[in-house]
Amino acid sequence: MLAPAEVSRIDKRDLLGIMSSLPEQMVFGLDQGSALDLPSDVRRIFIVGMGGSAIAADVFAAWTMDRRATDIQVIRDYRLPAHASEGDIVIAVTYSGDTEETLSAASQAVRIGCKLIGVSSGGKLADFCKENRMERVGVPQGYPPRGAFGYLFGTIAGLCRGVIVDNIDKEIKKAAVHLEEERKALNPDKSTKVNRAKSIALKVYGKTPIIYGSMAFAPVARRWQTEFNENAKILAWASSFPEADHNEIEGWGGSQSSGRFQPIFLRDRNETDELRMRIDATRGIIGRKAKPIEVEDKGDSLLSRMLGTLLLGDLASIYLAVLRKVDPYPVISIDALKAKLRSQGSASES
Ligand code: PA5
């Protein structure tokens, strides 16, 4: 089961290989973004983007949360918040360069006098930045947006490194080395007995995963959800502690169908004591209905562990696609919806 030949037969365009290039992408992106390096005294940075582009910003913002005085807000919308004003920096991240929500927020940024920086592989954002004499960092073309996570994350980190109190370059490069090690252990040639991504895929097969993260791991849980959605083509949900203990846990207790769901807890050795006790206690309650899968990366820095956990989810979702015999690469519904909206006249062109 999940032998290399079967994986490459279903994963025809080698999405697994693309996702596994995360460490190289990240280092490349860091170099690109560092060429523009923002001033350290900026008050506020808005990073606008959607889906596979926005998640790179979420992960960066969560990782650096305690290490900057600058507020970084990730905006998934057509509009910037009303408090955005001249002097703020807006980084518009759209892998394709054509996402209407992102283009709309980017043009609002220019209208109100923010400094705009584009990040894309080309598309309309490239033209827009040129016409408005705004800078843009290009990322390589030919990837699905979610497969360019490393390029986008590295670029955002390179752009924002000036607002982080300490030097992050070394940490990113160290995390890349950790990821190179991790991916070997998750490779298709490793059997299900030793390959954690394969074993998670087998446990999730036939169920709906609900992925729980806390602190910096909340956006990683969201990435797991969206990778299960887009690669394995299944419904999945992400949730976070401690919030889930104040509502969702009740659903586990009452639901007749809770056995259909697979809880996955993304753990970290640096969880605060109160969170650790809380999550352990929650496991006891949810565990009466469904045994949680617990995942914990052994990397020696927070970023290594965040990205090691992220890579594990990426690859588990692709192995699940193989088990389900669906090509993980195309996103037919997303593309169909975008085409329909385009044919009706995009909001960003109005
Ligand atoms: O993974 C995907 O394909 C989507 O989530 C896209 O990232 C999303 O639709 C936005 O597109 P883009 O990343 O090109 O701006």
Side-chain angles (χ1 to χ4, degrees), residues 294-331:
E294 292 209 274
V295 165
E296 188 181 331
D297 189 275
K298 301 282 178 240
D300 57 12
S301 70
L302 174 62
L303 183 65
S304 296
R305 298 195 296 280
M306 287 171 76
L307 295 180
T309 305
L310 184 137
L311 180 67
L312 177 64
D314 285 356
L315 301 192
S317 71
I318 295 172
Y319 289 127
L320 183 59
V322 174
L323 287 174
R324 301 189 67 246
K325 302 200 186 317
V326 292
D327 182 349
Y329 196 104
V331 282

Short mmCIF file of all heavy atoms in Angstrom, two decimals, residues 294-331:
data_model
loop_
_atom_site.label_atom_id
_atom_site.label_comp_id
_atom_site.label_asym_id
_atom_site.label_seq_id
_atom_site.Cartn_x
_atom_site.Cartn_y
_atom_site.Cartn_z
N GLU A 294 -1.87 12.30 17.59
CA GLU A 294 -1.07 13.42 18.11
C GLU A 294 0.22 13.52 17.32
O GLU A 294 0.89 12.51 17.07
CB GLU A 294 -0.75 13.21 19.58
CG GLU A 294 -2.01 13.32 20.43
CD GLU A 294 -1.72 13.80 21.83
OE1 GLU A 294 -1.41 12.96 22.68
OE2 GLU A 294 -1.81 15.02 22.05
N VAL A 295 0.53 14.72 16.91
CA VAL A 295 1.68 14.95 16.05
C VAL A 295 2.60 15.93 16.75
O VAL A 295 2.14 16.96 17.25
CB VAL A 295 1.18 15.59 14.73
CG1 VAL A 295 2.31 16.17 13.93
CG2 VAL A 295 0.40 14.57 13.91
N GLU A 296 3.88 15.61 16.83
CA GLU A 296 4.82 16.57 17.42
C GLU A 296 6.16 16.46 16.71
O GLU A 296 6.74 15.39 16.63
CB GLU A 296 4.99 16.30 18.92
CG GLU A 296 5.79 17.39 19.58
CD GLU A 296 6.02 17.17 21.07
OE1 GLU A 296 5.17 16.54 21.74
OE2 GLU A 296 7.08 17.62 21.55
N ASP A 297 6.63 17.57 16.19
CA ASP A 297 7.90 17.59 15.49
C ASP A 297 9.03 17.76 16.51
O ASP A 297 8.85 18.42 17.54
CB ASP A 297 7.91 18.75 14.48
CG ASP A 297 9.12 18.71 13.57
OD1 ASP A 297 10.20 19.22 13.96
OD2 ASP A 297 8.99 18.14 12.48
N LYS A 298 10.17 17.18 16.20
CA LYS A 298 11.28 17.21 17.17
C LYS A 298 12.32 18.29 16.88
O LYS A 298 13.39 18.30 17.49
CB LYS A 298 12.00 15.84 17.19
CG LYS A 298 11.10 14.68 17.55
CD LYS A 298 10.86 14.63 19.06
CE LYS A 298 9.91 13.49 19.43
NZ LYS A 298 8.70 13.93 20.10
N GLY A 299 12.05 19.16 15.94
CA GLY A 299 13.02 20.20 15.56
C GLY A 299 13.45 21.06 16.75
O GLY A 299 12.73 21.18 17.73
N ASP A 300 14.64 21.68 16.64
CA ASP A 300 15.11 22.40 17.83
C ASP A 300 14.75 23.89 17.85
O ASP A 300 15.10 24.59 18.81
CB ASP A 300 16.61 22.16 18.09
CG ASP A 300 17.44 22.55 16.89
OD1 ASP A 300 16.89 23.20 15.99
OD2 ASP A 300 18.64 22.19 16.86
N SER A 301 14.07 24.39 16.83
CA SER A 301 13.57 25.77 16.94
C SER A 301 12.08 25.76 16.64
O SER A 301 11.56 24.81 16.02
CB SER A 301 14.28 26.68 15.93
OG SER A 301 13.85 26.36 14.62
N LEU A 302 11.40 26.83 17.06
CA LEU A 302 9.96 26.90 16.81
C LEU A 302 9.66 26.80 15.31
O LEU A 302 8.78 26.07 14.88
CB LEU A 302 9.39 28.21 17.39
CG LEU A 302 7.92 28.47 17.09
CD1 LEU A 302 7.03 27.38 17.68
CD2 LEU A 302 7.47 29.84 17.61
N LEU A 303 10.43 27.53 14.51
CA LEU A 303 10.16 27.52 13.07
C LEU A 303 10.36 26.11 12.48
O LEU A 303 9.56 25.65 11.67
CB LEU A 303 11.05 28.52 12.33
CG LEU A 303 10.75 28.61 10.83
CD1 LEU A 303 9.35 29.17 10.58
CD2 LEU A 303 11.79 29.48 10.11
N SER A 304 11.43 25.43 12.91
CA SER A 304 11.66 24.06 12.42
C SER A 304 10.45 23.19 12.74
O SER A 304 10.00 22.41 11.90
CB SER A 304 12.89 23.43 13.08
OG SER A 304 14.03 24.14 12.74
N ARG A 305 9.94 23.34 13.95
CA ARG A 305 8.83 22.46 14.34
C ARG A 305 7.54 22.86 13.62
O ARG A 305 6.77 22.00 13.20
CB ARG A 305 8.63 22.51 15.87
CG ARG A 305 9.85 22.01 16.63
CD ARG A 305 9.54 21.73 18.09
NE ARG A 305 9.15 22.89 18.87
CZ ARG A 305 9.99 23.79 19.38
NH1 ARG A 305 11.28 23.66 19.19
NH2 ARG A 305 9.54 24.80 20.09
N MET A 306 7.32 24.16 13.45
CA MET A 306 6.11 24.59 12.72
C MET A 306 6.15 24.06 11.29
O MET A 306 5.19 23.49 10.79
CB MET A 306 6.03 26.12 12.67
CG MET A 306 5.65 26.76 13.98
SD MET A 306 5.83 28.57 13.90
CE MET A 306 4.36 29.02 12.96
N LEU A 307 7.28 24.27 10.62
CA LEU A 307 7.35 23.88 9.21
C LEU A 307 7.49 22.37 9.04
O LEU A 307 7.00 21.80 8.05
CB LEU A 307 8.49 24.62 8.52
CG LEU A 307 8.30 26.15 8.45
CD1 LEU A 307 9.48 26.80 7.74
CD2 LEU A 307 7.00 26.53 7.75
N GLY A 308 8.12 21.71 10.00
CA GLY A 308 8.18 20.24 9.95
C GLY A 308 6.77 19.67 10.05
O GLY A 308 6.40 18.73 9.34
N THR A 309 5.96 20.26 10.93
CA THR A 309 4.57 19.80 11.09
C THR A 309 3.77 20.13 9.83
O THR A 309 2.94 19.32 9.38
CB THR A 309 3.95 20.49 12.34
OG1 THR A 309 4.79 20.23 13.46
CG2 THR A 309 2.56 19.97 12.62
N LEU A 310 4.04 21.29 9.27
CA LEU A 310 3.32 21.70 8.04
C LEU A 310 3.63 20.72 6.89
O LEU A 310 2.73 20.24 6.20
CB LEU A 310 3.74 23.12 7.69
CG LEU A 310 3.05 23.78 6.50
CD1 LEU A 310 2.68 25.23 6.83
CD2 LEU A 310 3.93 23.80 5.27
N LEU A 311 4.91 20.40 6.74
CA LEU A 311 5.30 19.47 5.66
C LEU A 311 4.65 18.10 5.85
O LEU A 311 4.19 17.48 4.89
CB LEU A 311 6.83 19.35 5.62
CG LEU A 311 7.40 18.42 4.55
CD1 LEU A 311 7.14 18.98 3.15
CD2 LEU A 311 8.91 18.21 4.74
N LEU A 312 4.60 17.67 7.10
CA LEU A 312 3.97 16.37 7.38
C LEU A 312 2.51 16.37 6.90
O LEU A 312 2.05 15.41 6.29
CB LEU A 312 4.06 16.11 8.90
CG LEU A 312 3.38 14.84 9.41
CD1 LEU A 312 4.06 13.59 8.83
CD2 LEU A 312 3.43 14.79 10.95
N GLY A 313 1.80 17.45 7.17
CA GLY A 313 0.40 17.54 6.74
C GLY A 313 0.28 17.59 5.22
O GLY A 313 -0.60 16.96 4.63
N ASP A 314 1.18 18.35 4.59
CA ASP A 314 1.16 18.44 3.13
C ASP A 314 1.26 17.03 2.52
O ASP A 314 0.50 16.65 1.63
CB ASP A 314 2.35 19.26 2.61
CG ASP A 314 2.17 20.77 2.82
OD1 ASP A 314 1.11 21.19 3.30
OD2 ASP A 314 3.11 21.52 2.50
N LEU A 315 2.24 16.27 3.03
CA LEU A 315 2.50 14.97 2.41
C LEU A 315 1.43 13.95 2.80
O LEU A 315 1.02 13.13 1.97
CB LEU A 315 3.91 14.49 2.75
CG LEU A 315 5.03 15.45 2.31
CD1 LEU A 315 6.40 14.81 2.40
CD2 LEU A 315 4.84 15.98 0.88
N ALA A 316 0.93 14.05 4.04
CA ALA A 316 -0.15 13.13 4.45
C ALA A 316 -1.37 13.33 3.53
O ALA A 316 -2.02 12.37 3.13
CB ALA A 316 -0.54 13.39 5.90
N SER A 317 -1.65 14.59 3.16
CA SER A 317 -2.82 14.85 2.32
C SER A 317 -2.62 14.25 0.92
O SER A 317 -3.58 13.82 0.28
CB SER A 317 -3.10 16.35 2.24
OG SER A 317 -2.10 17.00 1.47
N ILE A 318 -1.39 14.22 0.46
CA ILE A 318 -1.13 13.65 -0.87
C ILE A 318 -1.22 12.11 -0.81
O ILE A 318 -1.81 11.48 -1.69
CB ILE A 318 0.22 14.13 -1.42
CG1 ILE A 318 0.15 15.64 -1.64
CG2 ILE A 318 0.58 13.41 -2.74
CD1 ILE A 318 1.45 16.29 -2.00
N TYR A 319 -0.69 11.53 0.27
CA TYR A 319 -0.86 10.07 0.41
C TYR A 319 -2.34 9.70 0.53
O TYR A 319 -2.77 8.68 0.02
CB TYR A 319 -0.07 9.55 1.62
CG TYR A 319 1.44 9.57 1.40
CD1 TYR A 319 2.30 10.19 2.29
CD2 TYR A 319 2.01 8.96 0.27
CE1 TYR A 319 3.68 10.21 2.09
CE2 TYR A 319 3.39 8.98 0.06
CZ TYR A 319 4.21 9.61 0.97
OH TYR A 319 5.56 9.63 0.75
N LEU A 320 -3.10 10.57 1.19
CA LEU A 320 -4.53 10.28 1.29
C LEU A 320 -5.18 10.35 -0.09
O LEU A 320 -6.05 9.53 -0.42
CB LEU A 320 -5.21 11.27 2.26
CG LEU A 320 -6.70 11.03 2.49
CD1 LEU A 320 -6.96 9.64 3.06
CD2 LEU A 320 -7.29 12.09 3.43
N ALA A 321 -4.75 11.30 -0.92
CA ALA A 321 -5.27 11.38 -2.29
C ALA A 321 -4.97 10.06 -3.03
O ALA A 321 -5.82 9.53 -3.75
CB ALA A 321 -4.64 12.56 -3.03
N VAL A 322 -3.77 9.55 -2.82
CA VAL A 322 -3.38 8.30 -3.49
C VAL A 322 -4.28 7.15 -3.01
O VAL A 322 -4.79 6.37 -3.81
CB VAL A 322 -1.88 7.98 -3.25
CG1 VAL A 322 -1.50 6.63 -3.83
CG2 VAL A 322 -1.01 9.10 -3.84
N LEU A 323 -4.52 7.09 -1.71
CA LEU A 323 -5.41 6.04 -1.18
C LEU A 323 -6.80 6.19 -1.78
O LEU A 323 -7.48 5.20 -2.06
CB LEU A 323 -5.53 6.16 0.35
CG LEU A 323 -4.32 5.72 1.17
CD1 LEU A 323 -4.56 6.05 2.65
CD2 LEU A 323 -4.06 4.23 1.02
N ARG A 324 -7.23 7.43 -2.00
CA ARG A 324 -8.57 7.68 -2.55
C ARG A 324 -8.57 7.62 -4.09
O ARG A 324 -9.58 7.82 -4.72
CB ARG A 324 -9.08 9.06 -2.08
CG ARG A 324 -9.17 9.16 -0.56
CD ARG A 324 -9.89 10.42 -0.13
NE ARG A 324 -11.28 10.36 -0.51
CZ ARG A 324 -11.87 11.14 -1.41
NH1 ARG A 324 -11.18 12.07 -2.03
NH2 ARG A 324 -13.13 10.98 -1.71
N LYS A 325 -7.41 7.42 -4.65
CA LYS A 325 -7.23 7.30 -6.10
C LYS A 325 -7.68 8.56 -6.84
O LYS A 325 -8.34 8.50 -7.88
CB LYS A 325 -7.95 6.05 -6.65
CG LYS A 325 -7.47 4.77 -5.99
CD LYS A 325 -7.79 3.57 -6.83
CE LYS A 325 -7.45 2.26 -6.13
NZ LYS A 325 -6.16 2.23 -5.43
N VAL A 326 -7.35 9.71 -6.26
CA VAL A 326 -7.63 10.98 -6.95
C VAL A 326 -6.32 11.74 -7.16
O VAL A 326 -5.46 11.77 -6.28
CB VAL A 326 -8.61 11.90 -6.17
CG1 VAL A 326 -10.00 11.32 -6.12
CG2 VAL A 326 -8.11 12.19 -4.76
N ASP A 327 -6.20 12.30 -8.35
CA ASP A 327 -5.01 13.10 -8.65
C ASP A 327 -5.03 14.34 -7.74
O ASP A 327 -5.97 15.15 -7.82
CB ASP A 327 -5.04 13.50 -10.14
CG ASP A 327 -3.80 14.30 -10.54
OD1 ASP A 327 -3.03 14.70 -9.65
OD2 ASP A 327 -3.62 14.51 -11.75
N PRO A 328 -4.02 14.53 -6.90
CA PRO A 328 -4.08 15.66 -5.96
C PRO A 328 -3.86 17.03 -6.60
O PRO A 328 -4.15 18.05 -5.99
CB PRO A 328 -2.93 15.35 -4.98
CG PRO A 328 -1.99 14.48 -5.74
CD PRO A 328 -2.82 13.70 -6.71
N TYR A 329 -3.36 17.09 -7.81
CA TYR A 329 -2.92 18.37 -8.39
C TYR A 329 -4.05 19.31 -8.80
O TYR A 329 -4.10 20.46 -8.34
CB TYR A 329 -1.99 18.09 -9.58
CG TYR A 329 -1.17 19.27 -10.02
CD1 TYR A 329 0.19 19.36 -9.70
CD2 TYR A 329 -1.74 20.32 -10.75
CE1 TYR A 329 0.96 20.45 -10.09
CE2 TYR A 329 -0.98 21.41 -11.14
CZ TYR A 329 0.37 21.47 -10.82
OH TYR A 329 1.12 22.54 -11.21
N PRO A 330 -4.95 18.88 -9.68
CA PRO A 330 -5.95 19.86 -10.17
C PRO A 330 -6.93 20.28 -9.09
O PRO A 330 -7.27 19.48 -8.20
CB PRO A 330 -6.68 19.10 -11.29
CG PRO A 330 -6.37 17.68 -11.12
CD PRO A 330 -5.15 17.54 -10.27
N VAL A 331 -7.38 21.53 -9.16
CA VAL A 331 -8.41 22.01 -8.22
C VAL A 331 -9.60 22.46 -9.07
O VAL A 331 -9.79 23.65 -9.35
CB VAL A 331 -7.88 23.12 -7.28
CG1 VAL A 331 -7.03 22.55 -6.16
CG2 VAL A 331 -7.05 24.17 -8.03
#
